[in-house]
Amino acid sequence: MMTARKFLLTGVFFMILFSISPAKADRTDQPGDQEFLERARALHQKIITVDTHCDTAMRLFRGNWNPADRHQADSPGGSKIDLPRMKEGGLDAEFFAAFVPQGPRTAEGYQMARQEAERMIQAVKKMVAENNQLIGLAFSPEDAYQFKKEGRLIAFLGIENGYALGQDLSLIKHFYEEGVRYITLCHTADNDICNSSTDENDPEDLGLSQFGHQVVTECNRLGMIIDISHASDKSFWEVLASSQAPIMASHSCCRAICPNPRNLTDDMIKALAAKGGVIQICFLSAYLKTPRPNPDRDKAFEEFRVRYGNWRDIKDEDQRKKIMAEMQELNRKYPAELATVKDLADHIDHVVKLVGVDYVGFGTDFDGGGGVAGCYDVSQMINVTVELMKRGYSDEDLAKIWGQNFFRVFNRVKDVAGTLSKS
Ligand SMILES: [Zn+2]
């Protein structure tokens, strides 16, 4: 039986593991002939492009990591998102998630989770304030359109893991007032709101708790978007039934293509769409394409994990760098197979065939494990547009997929809150 702490460490470990790149030579060899590329660039000037999930906020705590600098995706201290590369890739708006790893469900655990969320929210706000000429903090789609007009990038705030609420319903309002616009109800383990799709300690799926129902009601009342990525199947269905507003999967893929419990089944996607929601396709290889068995890599990383545990807790910077270099060496020796932009586009195609073009978008999970061959970091986002253009998607379709679909959900959630506050 894993202890809560061990589970948390394991969760963080895997997040880190997936966020470290494999050494692959074929990252930039994906799309495109010049004509598509030029069309794609022109389109990105006109439309708003939104990514509903990244974990880059964690980078803000690294001593000298500055989002205004251009980084490499793989170098120690690197990242997959920064402001110069958002410009290069034609990405306007990024949801910076205040990620809180699941810990013990105790008063002390709740307090730590809340503090962690607050710390990350403040870090994102500070980052925006310090780069005010380049990026603005948005609270609504209208803010985003305004910032785009001003030539600035756009930051939104989300919370990944409702554990940050503990058992305190009033924190939803608090976080909303702080500028948070979505809450991912859970992460890799069950919490007080709902059961997770990947809690190995508790295979029984209990769905949404009584407190979880109250959370849904309160989110609806305030206009907080409910994110069911990471939620178990039963949780998904109960949230969908309970919510008066459309809901979102901020970073999930299609289970029909890749049978991972983190992904949504066709029935789920249909029901999500029927309620006006949206699935934002995640760029994480393991959700896009079932990886081929790689026992040598698994063994090497298991030994690494046993050796170092949660090395992020190591305060000594030199020691941390040494461990990271060792991990990169392992990645070079035992490279993981990356999914491709084509695999990603297959998931978009699948949703579109199933329910139409109005219910799908992008949630990269960059710096949390996302990154495919051909779109390995945010500077290559344009390649996704090129691939979809090649598949026959019109400019109108692409405008929807890149942001309008999600903004429709955003606005509808606000409208529902307005109606509920009057009733
Ligand atoms: Zn996630």
Side-chain angles (χ1 to χ4, degrees):
M1 201 48 192
M2 243 186 203
T3 63
R5 172 139 183 91
K6 197 168 162 204
F7 186 86
L8 186 151
L9 294 183
T10 309
V12 169
F13 170 77
F14 277 109
M15 204 154 171
I16 293 158
L17 171 60
F18 284 120
S19 72
I20 301 295
S21 75
K24 292 276 281 185
D26 59 350
R27 273 171 214 146
T28 51
D29 65 353
Q30 276 287 318
D33 60 52
Q34 203 53 31
E35 195 191 325
F36 276 116
L37 200 56
E38 278 163 24
R39 264 187 59 199
R41 289 218 172 97
L43 181 67
H44 278 241
Q45 295 292 320
K46 282 193 288 185
I47 63 174
I48 286 237
T49 53
V50 186
D51 172 11
T52 51
H53 191 81
C54 78
D55 282 311
T56 309
M58 288 192 283
R59 297 287 190 281
L60 299 171
F61 299 113
R62 285 195 189 152
N64 50 5
W65 193 86
N66 181 351
D69 293 339
R70 194 185 190 287
H71 302 81
Q72 297 297 322
D74 295 346
S75 62
S79 67
K80 292 190 178 171
I81 292 183
D82 53 41
L83 307 184
R85 281 179 297 164
M86 279 179 77
K87 281 274 185 204
E88 278 172 46
L91 181 72
D92 299 313
E94 183 60 66
F95 264 87
F96 291 92
F99 165 66
V100 183
Q102 186 61 45
R105 287 155 66 176
T106 59
E108 205 186 11
Y110 300 144
Q111 202 193 351
M112 276 176 59
R114 177 187 169 172
Q115 281 168 358
E116 188 57 21
E118 304 271 13
R119 196 165 79 100
M120 293 193 109
I121 290 165
Q122 294 317 320
V124 173
K125 287 185 170 178
K126 185 165 169 272
M127 179 269 283
V128 173
E130 286 171 355
N131 296 280
N132 185 260
Q133 301 297 311
L134 301 171
I135 190 164
L137 183 63
F139 306 113
S140 66
E142 297 82 69
D143 289 347
Y145 284 111
Q146 180 58 34
F147 295 161
K148 169 108 185 180
K149 229 188 272 173
E150 294 166 7
R152 290 199 285 163
L153 298 168
I154 299 136
F156 283 106
L157 279 167
I159 288 181
E160 184 174 34
N161 199 354
Y163 178 47
L165 306 175
Q167 297 177 319
D168 186 350
L169 214 53
S170 73
L171 287 182
I172 302 174
K173 185 159 187 267
H174 167 76
F175 285 127
Y176 187 89
E177 285 168 353
E178 286 284 314
V180 173
R181 287 299 178 267
Y182 78 65
I183 296 178
T184 312
L185 295 181
C186 64
H187 193 238
T188 51
D190 301 345
N191 64 19
D192 286 86
I193 297 171
C194 67
N195 276 21
S196 161
S197 58
T198 50
D199 193 331
E200 288 166 359
N201 287 331
D202 180 18
E204 195 185 357
D205 187 357
L206 298 173
L208 192 65
S209 69
Q210 209 182 348
F211 174 65
H213 278 282
Q214 292 173 337
V215 168
V216 168
T217 305
E218 182 67 354
C219 285
N220 286 169
R221 190 181 74 79
L222 291 166
M224 183 75 90
I225 302 166
I226 297 168
D227 175 20
I228 51 75
S229 282
H230 287 287
S232 70
D233 287 10
K234 192 161 185 259
S235 302
F236 167 88
W237 289 110
E238 291 179 359
V239 171
L240 193 75
S242 180
S243 177
Q244 298 194 59
I247 63 173
M248 148 171 94
S250 73
H251 58 303
S252 294
C253 300
C254 306
R255 211 180 293 175
I257 299 179
C258 180
N260 185 304
R262 272 284 281 104
N263 292 340
L264 305 193
T265 66
D266 285 359
D267 283 347
M268 286 168 156
I269 294 167
K270 282 184 199 164
L272 182 83
K275 251 189 129 159
V278 69
I279 173 171
Q280 304 284 95
I281 299 299
C282 185
F283 288 35
L284 203 146
S285 283
Y287 303 161
L288 288 164
K289 191 177 165 186
T290 305
R292 279 185 290 207
N294 195 343
D296 291 344
R297 179 181 163 85
D298 294 347
K299 187 167 170 277
F301 277 98
E302 176 56 22
E303 284 167 7
F304 179 90
R305 190 184 68 78
V306 169
R307 211 158 45 242
Y308 297 118
N310 188 14
W311 56 269
R312 281 170 66 90
D313 282 350
I314 295 171
K315 296 281 180 274
D316 185 314
E317 191 67 13
D318 289 342
Q319 172 75 349
R320 217 164 62 90
K321 274 190 184 150
K322 222 180 91 195
I323 294 170
M324 208 157 164
E326 196 179 319
M327 183 181 261
Q328 282 177 328
E329 184 49 35
L330 285 182
N331 269 313
R332 261 189 290 277
K333 207 166 162 193
Y334 307 103
E337 192 184 8
L338 285 180
T340 65
V341 168
K342 284 186 167 48
D343 293 321
L344 183 68
D346 288 347
H347 284 257
I348 299 281
D349 281 350
H350 184 78
V351 178
V352 172
K353 276 191 197 114
L354 205 60
V355 291
V357 76
D358 295 325
Y359 308 99
V360 67
F362 301 115
T364 61
D365 211 359
F366 281 146
D367 292 325
V372 297
C375 189
Y376 192 66
D377 71 7
V378 70
S379 72
Q380 299 180 315
M381 290 293 262
I382 204 93
N383 293 344
V384 177
T385 305
V386 169
E387 177 62 24
L388 293 176
M389 278 180 164
K390 285 180 175 173
R391 292 185 184 208
Y393 285 84
S394 68
D395 287 2
E396 289 73 30
D397 293 339
L398 287 163
K400 286 179 176 182
I401 295 170
W402 266 116
Q404 285 174 6
N405 291 341
F406 168 68
F407 280 167
R408 180 199 68 236
V409 173
F410 201 143
N411 283 326
R412 182 71 196 133
V413 167
K414 273 204 305 180
D415 290 348
V416 169
T419 316
L420 289 173
S421 68
K422 278 181 206 122
S423 63

